[in-house]
Amino acid sequence: MFNEMMMNDEVREPYRALVDWMEASGPEVLQQKRLEAETLFRKIGITFSVYGEGGDPERLIPFDLIPRIFTANEWRKIERGVKQRARALNTFLYDVYHNAEIIKAGIVPADLVFRNAAFEPAMIGIDPPRKVYSHIVGVDVVRVGPDDFYVLEDNCRTPSGVSYMLENREIMMRMFPELFSKLRIEPVESYPDMLHKTLKSIAPRKCDREPNIVVLTPGAMNSAYYEHSFLADQMGVELVEGQDLFVSEGRVFMRTTQGPARVDVIYRRIDDAYIDPLCFRPDSVLGVPGLMNVYRSGGVAICSAPGAGVADDKAIYTYVPDMIRFYLGQEPILNNVPTWKCANPDDLKYVLENLGDLVVKEVHGSGGYGMLVGPASTKEEQATYAERIKADPNDFIAQPTLALSACPTFVESGVAPRHVDFRPFCLVGDDIRLTPGGLTRVAMREGSLVVNSSQGGGVKDTWIMAD
């Protein structure tokens, strides 16, 4: 396990000023600051929701006040790698909904795309503005050594967590102004402006004015509703539900107290199946009837485009390095984690024989649900999971249990290392933009590798040190 703060019993340079401050302050001050942070989270209402477990579904996300720190050089590598993947993934999406050249070349199997549950036939032949399908790409990056970064998965639909990135920084600046005045830490507060600029840049071809942008939410019961309302507020745009919008004469309108207002760009935070009951699920009450017809005709832009999820399927993930070579003519800057595809008979045999050493995931899974962490599982759990894999091998992939890097984390017993991952948010429109920061998720339980908030994980502020 690579300890990001310590190497050879010495504090690594990026953490030296922080460690000096922590030692000078003492554990009592850290504990006081921790309680202050929790109070602020409660006052602001920074929560997420978990349903089906009983009790109050509204949860306060655990916040760790010891930041994760990257040097400028480390960040440059991550930034270049993430932008490269975002470019390749969007090119892949345009390709599979048009000429499918990568499939004709025998690089990606046709069945993996066209029989994928996330592939939307309704998108075939549609040219979204600027040929961009995934406008917000969340790339989950893990670290296993000083210079060793891997991509764990891509999120091309509606990656969540950016509100935590922004609120974490706001709270840290309130509590530790002396550190921010002393250290050169790259700011992250420009993200809402960058997002707004990206959304404006994808205005549909029929838009002949300053585009009117809205954030479409499923409603207050959604687990990420706080983030939906936060981003709408930060951008200064309306937060709407499906019932607030309607289609008329080939355009989308929003109901307002001053009468209908035309909508040009929809940042949607609802799943594909619920966007338009006339095109997808007919029982959906969350979407807008007729929306897809307006989208096809160039009357409205949707961020991210329906069908973008086919690019972040965990089976498709294994082909992203090949996409980079095929479309961009480059070698991947950030490598994939080695992955076994259970659809392959040889891989399936290996996975079933080594379940105790692997992490096995559903190809359409998310949130840390439906996965098996082999070293932390019992023989009985492995046997039960093996039957699930055998029943439908196409639905599973497996990866080695990586020794994820650890960062100092303030826990009940004091400061101790805990495993972390990292999700930077890449914006794709007229340009590819990346805020110098991201969401560091931390496994609060000792020894745990699961960082998802729904599974007990917490969050940290991420500091990118300026040159």
Side-chain angles (χ1 to χ4, degrees):
M1 179 184 69
F2 173 62
N3 187 319
E4 296 193 12
M5 186 174 78
M6 304 292 296
M7 183 177 284
N8 301 324
D9 295 326
E10 292 187 2
V11 177
R12 293 179 65 238
E13 185 58 37
Y15 282 87
R16 192 172 303 281
L18 176 66
V19 169
D20 289 345
W21 181 88
M22 288 167 55
E23 289 178 347
S25 301
E28 295 81 10
V29 172
L30 285 178
Q31 178 62 25
Q32 179 189 341
K33 295 289 187 182
R34 180 186 183 185
L35 294 174
E36 287 177 18
E38 185 172 313
T39 301
L40 283 170
F41 265 61
R42 289 190 186 281
K43 282 183 177 178
I44 297 170
I46 307 173
T47 62
F48 67 100
S49 301
V50 177
Y51 299 102
E53 295 184 3
D56 186 355
E58 285 289 313
R59 309 283 175 86
L60 190 70
I61 193 165
F63 171 68
D64 181 57
L65 51 78
I66 302 177
R68 184 186 197 176
I69 304 175
F70 289 115
T71 65
N73 280 335
E74 290 168 346
W75 170 248
R76 276 191 284 269
K77 178 178 182 177
I78 294 171
E79 180 182 37
R80 288 188 300 112
V82 168
K83 286 183 174 181
Q84 182 189 58
R85 287 182 84 93
R87 189 176 292 111
L89 288 165
N90 270 292
T91 309
F92 169 76
L93 284 164
Y94 186 85
D95 185 24
V96 298
Y97 286 112
H98 288 80
N99 296 327
E101 297 295 343
I102 199 166
I103 293 171
K104 293 174 185 175
I107 295 171
V108 176
D111 284 357
L112 206 57
V113 175
F114 299 133
R115 293 189 178 181
N116 193 303
F119 182 81
E120 295 292 359
M123 286 296 296
I124 293 174
I126 294 179
D127 287 349
R130 300 187 183 275
K131 298 183 179 180
V132 176
Y133 286 74
S134 180
H135 307 86
I136 303 157
V137 183
V139 178
D140 291 348
V141 178
V142 295
R143 188 178 194 176
V144 297
D147 302 306
D148 301 317
F149 296 91
Y150 289 91
V151 174
L152 196 59
E153 63 182 56
D154 305 288
N155 301 274
C156 295
R157 297 173 233 203
T158 53
S160 62
V162 75
S163 61
Y164 300 133
M165 174 189 81
L166 296 168
E167 292 286 23
N168 291 349
R169 176 59 56 84
E170 177 69 23
I171 286 174
M172 289 292 285
M173 291 180 72
R174 284 196 203 182
M175 293 195 302
F176 306 112
E178 66 276 20
L179 281 174
F180 282 89
S181 64
K182 184 186 303 183
L183 302 175
R184 298 186 64 205
I185 303 164
E186 294 281 8
V188 298
E189 58 266 22
S190 62
Y191 179 86
D193 290 337
M194 290 169 60
L195 175 59
H196 192 256
K197 188 173 183 179
T198 297
L199 295 173
K200 284 175 64 177
S201 78
I202 61 161
R205 63 177 181 272
K206 290 184 180 179
C207 180
D208 53 4
R209 54 172 196 173
E210 184 78 2
N212 188 20
I213 301 166
V214 299
V215 176
L216 176 60
T217 177
M221 297 301 289
N222 184 266
S223 61
Y225 181 74
Y226 170 79
E227 178 159 297
H228 306 168
S229 59
F230 176 84
L231 289 174
D233 181 62
Q234 291 291 306
M235 288 191 291
V237 304
E238 294 293 336
L239 178 68
V240 300
E241 297 182 26
Q243 61 191 356
D244 300 319
L245 304 179
F246 67 94
V247 168
S248 177
E249 298 180 351
R251 297 295 177 96
V252 177
F253 293 88
M254 170 175 55
R255 294 181 174 90
T256 76
T257 54
Q258 284 80 39
R262 200 177 87 198
V263 172
D264 302 297
V265 179
I266 299 175
Y267 174 24
R268 55 101 175 194
R269 297 298 297 259
I270 66 176
D271 294 341
D272 290 359
Y274 302 98
I275 289 175
D276 180 353
L278 300 184
C279 186
F280 302 114
R281 280 187 58 159
D283 60 341
S284 171
V285 295
L286 301 176
V288 185
L291 176 60
M292 284 300 293
N293 284 336
V294 182
Y295 180 61
R296 287 190 194 97
S297 69
V300 72
I302 302 175
C303 166
S304 285
V310 72
D312 65 19
D313 178 280
K314 290 181 177 62
I316 292 289
Y317 154 89
T318 61
Y319 294 95
V320 176
D322 296 318
M323 293 177 201
I324 293 170
R325 298 183 186 101
F326 182 75
Y327 295 123
L328 309 182
Q330 302 170 356
E331 284 301 309
I333 296 167
L334 297 174
N335 290 317
N336 276 16
V337 176
T339 304
W340 291 271
K341 300 184 283 284
C342 293
N344 181 315
D346 290 338
D347 286 5
L348 174 63
K349 182 175 183 293
Y350 179 85
V351 169
L352 291 174
E353 290 174 353
N354 295 275
L355 276 179
D357 300 320
L358 303 172
V359 176
V360 190
K361 304 175 182 178
E362 299 171 345
V363 295
H364 303 302
S366 63
Y369 293 106
M371 63 188 288
L372 177 80
V373 181
S377 63
T378 65
K379 292 292 184 184
E380 183 180 354
E381 288 169 338
Q382 292 170 29
T384 301
Y385 208 92
E387 292 305 313
R388 290 184 59 204
I389 297 172
K390 291 175 188 175
D392 194 351
N394 293 338
D395 271 359
F396 297 90
I397 57 101
Q399 296 172 327
T401 308
L402 295 180
L404 302 186
S405 65
C407 283
T409 304
F410 194 63
V411 295
E412 294 299 331
S413 58
V415 177
R418 292 290 185 267
H419 294 295
V420 291
D421 80 350
F422 180 55
R423 176 180 290 179
F425 296 89
C426 187
L427 300 172
V428 187
D430 60 338
D431 195 5
I432 300 180
R433 302 176 175 92
L434 207 61
T435 300
L439 178 67
T440 288
R441 300 183 297 181
V442 54
M444 301 300 289
R445 289 192 280 265
E446 185 176 4
S448 175
L449 297 172
V450 182
V451 299
N452 306 79
S453 57
S454 56
Q455 307 292 305
V459 295
K460 287 173 169 285
D461 192 15
T462 307
W463 292 1
I464 310 298
M465 307 307 293
D467 283 324

